[in-house]
Amino acid sequence: QLQLQESGPGLVKPSETLSLTCTVSGGSMSRSDYYWGWIRQPPGKGLEWIGSIFFGGSVYYTPSLKSRVTISVDTSKAQFSLRLSSLTAADTAVYYCATEMTSTNAFHTWGQGTLVSVSS
Amino acid sequence: QSVLTQPPSASGTPGQRVTISCSGSSSNIGNNAVNWYQHLPGTAPKLLIYSNDQRPSGVPDRFSGSKSGTSASLAISGLQSEDEADYYCAAWADSLNGQVFGGGTKLTVL
């Protein structure tokens, strides 16, 4: 059974770039039935999809963040990563990584989430 | 403001049946599968319903989903105290070429 675990800094300064990594265990990332996705939840707000990547490298992002987001995958390390640039306080959120079923776009397995605060 | 519209709150007493609605448009719900998630504070969201009405393994049959046109619904029967959580619908949005979530519904078990 797949397990996902996010890692990265808990505190980042405004204008800097956030880098988060999701480590996958319990199965291969090189599979055609899953995308690998990132979702976030700002304090007191709802869930927001950030973007998803296929193991072969094809990637898609939510339009509102597209200019600041990069998602990459390294199957040899069983990891995929999120980079979000030009941070502001509005990027403060719990960030989740998850598997996304290619057939239904459902997020099936989630990491526990990591809180990222943007503050000087 | 979310592309998919959910009521901000819902409530029921133990044993009751409650429904949560999710309203969208032809470019999202009307043309794509709807998925539902349960989110308890401090935990990871959990997939509850996928592809409109399918339950993942381990999800009780008290939870059911349906879709009609540009709207979808989540029904919870035999309400239990542990069902108190936030519930989110989600779907692919053709116009955005990406996924969208509803704003979430906070379910209170009275």
Side-chain angles (χ1 to χ4, degrees):
Chain A
Q1 184 175 351
L2 285 173
Q3 292 187 311
L4 285 69
Q5 177 69 58
E6 306 89 349
S7 59
L11 179 64
V12 190
K13 290 182 168 54
S15 80
E16 292 188 342
T17 295
L18 169 66
S19 292
L20 294 176
T21 296
C22 183
T23 301
V24 180
S25 59
S28 171
M29 290 192 70
S30 301
R31 49 192 298 171
S32 61
D33 55 343
Y34 282 153
Y35 293 114
W36 306 92
W38 289 96
I39 304 100
R40 70 180 182 178
Q41 183 179 35
K45 297 188 177 182
L47 299 172
E48 178 184 26
W49 172 72
I50 299 171
S52 300
I53 191 166
F54 196 61
F55 79 92
S58 58
V59 60
Y60 55 111
Y61 304 120
T62 190
S64 63
L65 296 175
K66 190 173 183 178
S67 63
R68 298 195 291 129
V69 173
T70 302
I71 295 177
S72 58
V73 63
D74 187 340
T75 56
S76 66
K77 294 182 178 180
Q79 294 178 335
F80 61 107
S81 300
L82 169 72
R83 285 175 58 86
L84 182 63
S85 63
S86 304
L87 294 172
T88 70
D91 295 310
T92 293
V94 176
Y95 287 76
Y96 297 97
C97 60
T99 62
E100 178 186 347
M101 297 161 63
T102 56
S103 57
T104 64
N105 297 116
F107 293 106
H108 185 270
T109 302
W110 295 65
Q112 65 183 25
T114 185
L115 175 62
V116 176
S117 298
V118 180
S119 174
S120 54
Chain B
Q1 191 166 350
S2 303
V3 173
L4 304 182
T5 301
Q6 298 180 235
S9 63
S11 63
T13 57
Q16 270 191 329
R17 182 178 187 270
V18 297
T19 61
I20 297 172
S21 62
C22 176
S23 178
S25 69
S26 58
S27 68
N28 42 67
I29 292 177
N31 202 36
N32 298 290
V34 177
N35 306 307
W36 290 90
Y37 303 89
Q38 179 191 58
H39 193 196
L40 285 82
T43 69
K46 173 186 176 182
L47 178 63
L48 211 55
I49 297 289
Y50 68 95
S51 195
N52 305 321
D53 57 8
Q54 301 299 301
R55 281 187 307 277
S57 173
V59 173
D61 59 6
R62 302 188 296 107
F63 295 91
S64 62
S66 63
K67 188 182 96 168
S68 178
T70 59
S71 294
S73 291
L74 172 70
I76 309 171
S77 59
L79 197 62
Q80 300 178 4
S81 58
E82 56 260 40
D83 298 333
E84 191 162 283
D86 296 324
Y87 292 85
Y88 294 89
C89 60
W92 183 263
D94 297 331
S95 57
L96 301 177
N97 197 33
Q99 284 224 45
V100 289
F101 283 92
T105 298
K106 184 176 183 60
L107 175 64
T108 300
V109 180
L110 303 170

